[in-house]
Amino acid sequence: MSGPGALLGGLSPEAFLERHWQKRPLLVRNAWPEFPWALGADELAGLALEPDVESRVVMGETAQEDWILLQGPFEPEFFHDTPARDWTLLVQDVEKHLPALGAVLEPFRFLPDWRIDDLMVSYAAPGGTVGPHRDRYDVFLLQVSGQREWAIQYPAPASERLREHPDLRLLTDFTATERWTVGPGDLLYLPPGVPHYGIAVDDCITYSIGFRAPSVAELLRGWADECLRSASAELGYDDPDLRRQANPAEIPPAALARLRDQVRRHLAADDLAMDRWLGRFLTEPKPAFARLERASPLAPAELAAAVQAGRRLRRNPAARVSLVRYDSERIFLYAQGEEYRLGPALHGLAETLGRQGWLAAADLAQPAALEQTAEWLNRGILLFADELEESE
């Protein structure tokens, strides 16, 4: 497996963060020369048939730039009738559907886990593309097979003009400043907002490691929903000191002040309350991955026997897991939108799981650690390492 140094063209993670992260693109030739987790076009098409898999196809004559968007799931006959060129299949969250591909994300863990969104895999026939566009998030584009031509516009223009398209956010004014043809193992990093345009030279597979960037609108909507859950539906506006007013159409200053106060009082929170909500919000799973429970739960004693026999536990790539350290006495683990308040006896367990992503028998020596780990295993937050290997 490539480490961050090889992926980043010899740059240390610190140097990459200082020079490139959210600042400027980076192309690394031969960043991942030996890649054991390559999906083929048929495997990817098989995923796109599944109803719980998010997939789409962009199709049309690239020379005419007349693309259309088709949403999955698809019928098997669809892929039997696709043209020889000018179409692209994209499948989201592949590492969650095929947990063995979670290994692809491991070298990128010099970046915070909560920022990593998913592994998207795309297959493109010759000429296939999704058109010139911007992403609102950071992305690493790893060429796995075949060749693709990338064109970028950097520095990015301050504003954008979009074509009139019902489904795709395509740029009207795209002027390439740099072009590269990439092959297997090449890696391109793009900061948010950099216009780019990729066209397949031949049949090719590209892995996109995309990063989460919650919008202000998403945060406000989530926080408002949280406040609504805690607000009493029966507690309403009251004005026992109401007096007759000269103009009944007027909303008087006293009423406006009282209403403002009610809104502010219910939206306000101390830092701890908001941080705890953020922990739950940022680990809330996508609907397709909300239920990860183990089909056959294990008792702590059964788990102890399994790890003593040499089985390791790994974090399930489909589960969102993060830690928040409030002080030396309080570390909370957040997983799948749930909060786990961990006492000092479990701090080491949480730190180890967060840092290395796996647990072995030595980590479960204490009864409290064994019991808590059994709960995470049964909830699907953890898997046995051999179960991950079986998903390859």
Side-chain angles (χ1 to χ4, degrees):
M1 180 185 298
S2 287
L7 277 181
L8 303 174
L11 290 176
S12 68
E14 293 79 9
F16 170 80
L17 291 170
E18 182 177 346
R19 300 177 196 175
H20 292 277
W21 179 254
Q22 301 207 333
K23 302 175 188 70
R24 57 185 304 150
L26 175 67
L27 174 66
V28 181
R29 297 290 189 182
N30 209 30
W32 207 327
E34 297 181 10
F35 190 78
W37 299 286
L39 280 184
D42 290 343
E43 294 172 282
L44 195 63
L47 279 176
L49 307 181
E50 301 296 328
D52 61 339
V53 174
E54 184 182 347
S55 61
R56 62 194 186 278
V57 165
V58 177
M59 182 178 290
E61 291 189 33
T62 299
Q64 303 300 320
E65 298 191 336
D66 61 348
W67 303 291
I68 60 171
L69 174 68
L70 304 173
Q71 298 283 1
F74 298 95
E75 297 296 329
E77 295 76 17
F78 174 84
F79 292 107
H80 296 156
D81 298 329
T82 49
R85 58 177 296 115
D86 294 339
W87 65 279
T88 301
L89 167 66
L90 306 101
V91 179
Q92 302 286 156
D93 296 299
V94 172
E95 85 290 357
K96 300 178 182 68
H97 295 290
L98 301 176
L101 269 70
V104 176
L105 303 181
E106 283 297 314
F108 298 92
R109 291 191 72 217
F110 67 92
L111 297 159
D113 288 342
W114 77 268
R115 289 284 266 121
I116 298 176
D117 189 11
D118 77 330
L119 171 65
M120 183 186 76
V121 179
S122 64
Y123 161 78
T129 180
V130 298
H133 66 285
R134 301 184 193 223
D135 292 321
R136 302 300 178 189
Y137 50 84
D138 303 86
V139 63
F140 289 89
L141 299 157
L142 176 67
Q143 196 63 25
V144 172
S145 66
Q147 291 187 315
R148 180 182 291 273
E149 181 186 271
W150 283 112
I152 70 167
Q153 185 175 0
Y154 179 82
S159 60
E160 66 180 18
R161 292 177 55 205
L162 298 178
R163 306 181 191 196
E164 293 184 5
H165 195 288
D167 303 305
L168 298 170
R169 291 180 58 85
L170 301 174
L171 299 171
T172 299
D173 303 320
F174 175 81
T175 303
T177 56
E178 293 188 76
R179 294 181 184 273
W180 308 284
T181 298
V182 299
D186 293 343
L187 181 72
L188 175 62
Y189 164 72
L190 293 175
V194 173
H196 54 288
Y197 191 178
I199 301 177
V201 177
D202 50 17
D203 293 281
C204 70
I205 297 282
T206 305
Y207 282 16
S208 301
I209 297 91
F211 287 76
R212 299 176 71 193
S215 68
V216 173
E218 289 173 310
L219 291 169
L220 289 175
R221 191 180 304 117
W223 179 241
D225 288 343
E226 175 72 9
C227 293
L228 284 172
R229 278 191 284 271
S230 60
S232 170
E234 313 226 343
L235 183 62
Y237 177 80
D238 60 344
D239 49 3
D241 55 350
L242 182 65
R243 297 291 182 267
R244 185 177 180 180
Q245 57 192 61
N247 186 343
E250 180 184 356
I251 305 174
L256 291 171
R258 183 177 276 120
L259 290 164
R260 287 196 306 268
D261 181 65
Q262 279 194 328
V263 172
R264 288 170 176 157
R265 190 158 18 100
H266 285 92
L267 287 177
D270 60 43
D271 288 351
L272 178 59
M274 188 166 280
D275 288 350
R276 291 176 62 189
W277 165 73
L278 283 167
R280 297 190 299 272
F281 176 79
L282 293 172
T283 58
E284 189 72 32
K286 296 179 182 180
F289 309 104
R291 302 299 301 271
L292 302 176
E293 288 83 356
R294 195 172 185 82
S296 300
L298 267 66
E302 294 174 298
L303 172 59
V307 295
Q308 289 296 335
R311 297 183 77 185
R312 282 188 173 186
L313 294 157
R314 295 200 71 93
R315 194 181 71 178
N316 186 345
R320 286 178 168 171
V321 181
S322 290
L323 301 176
V324 176
R325 186 195 312 276
Y326 295 106
D327 52 44
S328 60
E329 298 296 320
R330 292 178 299 176
I331 293 180
F332 289 6
L333 183 137
Y334 294 92
Q336 296 293 88
E338 299 288 333
E339 177 185 88
Y340 297 87
R341 303 189 196 188
L342 305 177
L346 294 176
H347 287 185
L349 179 74
E351 292 272 15
T352 299
L353 178 60
R355 183 174 56 255
Q356 64 188 23
W358 55 268
L359 299 171
D363 302 307
L364 312 185
Q366 299 302 318
L370 180 64
E371 187 173 340
Q372 181 60 78
T373 302
E375 180 182 358
W376 291 336
L377 176 67
N378 291 330
R379 291 198 175 192
I381 296 165
L382 301 176
L383 295 172
F384 285 112
D386 51 75
E387 294 172 331
L388 284 175
E389 293 164 4
E390 289 169 5
S391 73
E392 293 182 3

